Amino acid sequence: MRPLHAAAALLIVAMWGLNFTVIRFGLDEFPPFAFATWRFVLCALPVLFVARPQNISWATLAGIGGFMFGGQFVFLFFAMQAGLPPGLTSVLVQLQGPLTVVLAALFLREHATRAQWLGLAAAAVGVVLISQSVEGTASVLAVGLALLSALTWAVGNLFFRSARGASMFAVTVWASVLPPIPFALMSLAVEGSDAILMPILHPTWLGWFVLFYTVVPVMWLGYLIWGTLLRTYPAGKVGPISLLVPCAALLFASLLVDEPIGGLRLLGVVIVLGGVAIGVFASGRRLR
């Protein structure tokens, strides 16, 4: 990988790793549905000057937006609101990789290798250990919500396959058009009109910083760089970079919100990431 692209890859790791702690700060400013609504409204703004990818149907964009973006992040928001720390959340959502393999085997009749199934089994053991390390029913519920986040991301990955070859930035902004509609309706119904209008009626510098950060560096710049890397290098070389994201997330969470990682929880984190790594490298070998 060329030095410029290697630097860009490390920038993605840092931006996406920090994103989990920034989301934690955002949930102190906005309730989950309102947060998700504003994030995707702002993310979709470039559709005013970016053409819709012509080779991608609205159904595919709706699947990407509804599952890979909407479902993933709203479950992630609720998991963190229920008490799951940002670093631990970043580890659990990485299960989207092994879960994608399972869904592809079930619904697309793709053949998963023994190494991929082994990775999934190892990751599942890690999740059990992590569940044992959290305290209280709220935390167990939070783990379940994080797993739903990973599952909806995995479903979105199946839709995203139809978008191969298209501009990832264009796909990102156009797939962000539909999620704000149900999220806004849910926010009005569950959180009230004051919540959905909070960034306008009660603006704070932290609230708008969170919205800016989760849209501009994380969504726009992040997916633009990621798409460039995927078009330039084999997926087997780019995919493993994502394994560094939870490592960065754990580091930022430890520094910024004093998230403890040790004992049984640390063992679970290592096993989950090890299982995901087995699946990623096994998938990379199949693509060569």
Side-chain angles (χ1 to χ4, degrees):
M1 189 174 287
R2 287 178 292 196
L4 179 61
H5 287 160
L10 292 177
L11 178 62
I12 286 180
V13 169
M15 290 190 305
W16 286 355
L18 178 59
N19 185 48
F20 289 89
T21 299
V22 172
I23 287 173
R24 174 61 269 165
F25 294 147
L27 291 169
D28 293 332
E29 299 290 316
F30 312 114
F33 283 122
F35 188 179
T37 299
W38 278 94
R39 181 183 187 181
F40 288 107
V41 165
L42 295 174
C43 188
L45 288 180
V47 300
L48 298 175
F49 55 85
V50 174
R52 182 172 72 86
Q54 294 302 310
N55 59 332
I56 302 176
S57 68
W58 274 109
T60 298
L61 288 173
I64 296 170
F67 290 98
M68 191 176 190
F69 292 166
Q72 175 197 170
F73 285 107
V74 79
F75 282 124
L76 186 151
F77 289 175
F78 276 104
M80 294 179 68
Q81 189 185 55
L84 197 65
L88 203 54
T89 303
S90 72
V91 173
L92 292 176
V93 297
Q94 285 300 315
L95 285 169
Q96 56 86 18
L99 288 173
T100 300
V101 173
V102 174
L103 294 176
L106 290 175
F107 298 106
L108 303 181
R109 303 302 183 202
E110 292 188 2
H111 175 69
T113 66
R114 280 182 290 183
Q116 289 173 315
W117 287 115
L118 175 63
L120 176 62
V125 171
V127 170
V128 172
L129 293 177
I130 289 173
S131 299
Q132 294 296 317
S133 75
V134 297
E135 298 177 355
T137 55
S139 295
V140 174
L141 172 64
V143 170
L145 290 169
L147 295 179
L148 286 175
S149 175
L151 178 61
T152 51
W153 185 355
V155 174
N157 285 339
L158 301 187
F159 283 96
F160 199 81
R161 293 183 178 193
S162 302
R164 285 175 177 170
S167 164
M168 192 168 285
F169 178 76
V171 172
T172 298
V173 298
W174 277 95
S176 298
V177 169
L178 297 179
I181 299 172
F183 288 160
L185 293 175
M186 288 299 297
S187 179
L188 287 171
V190 177
E191 299 162 349
S193 57
D194 286 346
I196 195 69
L197 296 175
M198 193 174 294
I200 297 175
L201 298 179
H202 308 287
T204 64
W205 72 267
L206 180 57
W208 276 103
F209 167 77
V210 167
L211 291 173
F212 172 85
Y213 185 84
T214 57
V215 171
V216 179
V218 172
M219 297 291 283
W220 292 352
L221 181 59
Y223 282 108
L224 179 64
I225 295 174
W226 191 252
T228 300
L229 294 176
L230 286 175
R231 285 193 299 270
T232 308
Y233 301 98
K237 180 174 287 189
V238 178
I241 295 171
S242 65
L243 295 176
L244 296 176
V245 173
C247 300
L250 288 164
L251 175 62
F252 283 122
S254 175
L255 293 174
L256 298 177
V257 294
D258 296 323
E259 178 179 338
I261 295 291
L264 190 62
R265 181 173 299 185
L266 178 59
L267 178 61
V269 167
V270 171
I271 293 176
V272 167
L273 293 181
V276 172
I278 292 172
V280 167
F281 287 109
S283 300
R285 284 196 297 270
R286 292 185 65 188
L287 292 171
R288 287 174 188 160

